[in-house]
Amino acid sequence: MKKLFLSIACFLAVQAAMAQKEVLQFDENNKYVVYQVVDKSGMTADTLYQRAAGFVGKSGSKKNGGTVTQKDKLVVYASGLLTKKEVGEVTYVLTIETKDQKYRYKFADFVFKPYKRNRYGNMATQPGLDVPLEKLWTKYDDKETDGMLAQVGTFCKTNAAQLMLVMDKVQILRKPEDNVKRVETDKW
């Protein structure tokens, strides 16, 4: 019974990891992207733009015309028997474009930069070894490639969910309180 339960749990874990890889799609240039158009009826482009700018914060560059761009990176791990090891980082570009009553986001330009221990024992990127995510299978075996793609897919899926929460937030307006006690400070 224990073996059956363990095999079912392992099978479900593998299926969940493979499902995250399916989040990544190919665009017209045969590059990996995560892309979606979201309808927001009743919202102006300016409101959606302000929320998108708030989502990327100071790390993003804002453009006129309703476009917000953020260039960032995520660390990718390889799991060993008992430990996880930093393998490298994946840089990406998040673009959020807004119009009246809709917005779209796109994670694109994924580039893998492998890590190597430097002379201080820290993991650092190897200069000059940038691999586009589409060509990752040429440098690494299938297991490592699937693991990295699954991590990128999971990251994009969670960030897209956070973006949707920020774009859906309802602003709460506080009512002014009428029963506020006033203190006269000029009289002793």
Side-chain angles (χ1 to χ4, degrees):
M1 186 69 175
K2 290 180 183 178
K3 291 180 182 178
L4 179 65
F5 178 71
L6 183 61
S7 63
I8 291 173
C10 289
F11 177 73
L12 292 176
V14 168
Q15 291 298 326
M18 296 302 286
Q20 298 305 323
K21 188 175 80 169
E22 294 172 1
V23 171
L24 297 171
Q25 308 162 356
F26 282 106
D27 66 354
E28 61 274 358
N29 299 323
N30 288 330
K31 301 276 188 184
Y32 277 122
V33 295
V34 176
Y35 175 81
Q36 186 174 359
V37 177
V38 181
D39 291 328
K40 296 297 297 172
S41 60
M43 303 281 289
T44 63
D46 189 40
T47 303
L48 292 171
Y49 176 78
Q50 293 300 325
R51 290 181 182 180
F55 177 75
V56 298
K58 294 182 179 180
S59 66
S61 64
K62 300 162 186 77
K63 298 179 182 176
N64 291 335
T67 302
V68 178
T69 305
Q70 176 187 25
K71 295 180 182 179
D72 206 355
K73 61 184 174 184
L74 70 122
V75 178
V76 180
Y77 297 92
S79 59
L81 186 59
L82 295 174
T83 60
K84 290 173 77 174
K85 177 184 170 189
E86 297 172 345
V87 176
E89 66 186 29
V90 175
T91 59
Y92 66 93
V93 177
L94 169 63
T95 306
I96 306 169
E97 297 175 324
T98 60
K99 288 186 177 181
D100 284 332
Q101 301 185 8
K102 64 181 166 181
Y103 68 94
R104 66 180 177 182
Y105 63 88
K106 179 171 75 169
F107 292 90
D109 299 332
F110 296 104
V111 177
F112 176 73
K113 298 179 180 183
Y115 278 171
K116 182 180 180 183
R117 287 213 184 271
N118 62 9
R119 64 182 184 179
Y120 303 110
N122 299 329
M123 299 300 274
T125 58
Q126 297 179 20
L129 293 178
D130 299 346
V131 180
L133 209 60
E134 301 80 30
K135 303 211 186 273
L136 198 60
W137 60 273
T138 61
K139 301 284 184 183
Y140 297 95
D141 64 358
D142 290 340
K143 182 180 176 184
E144 290 176 325
T145 302
D146 287 343
M148 290 182 214
L149 291 177
Q151 290 178 45
V152 171
T154 303
F155 174 80
C156 291
K157 188 175 180 180
T158 56
N159 271 6
Q162 290 175 352
L163 173 65
M164 287 184 184
L165 285 176
V166 169
M167 298 301 260
D168 289 342
K169 75 177 179 182
V170 178
Q171 194 169 8
I172 300 172
L173 300 175
R174 299 183 81 189
K175 296 178 183 177
E177 296 184 22
D178 294 334
N179 300 341
V180 177
K181 291 185 179 180
R182 302 284 179 200
V183 177
E184 295 181 19
T185 58
D186 57 339
K187 296 181 183 177
W188 291 48

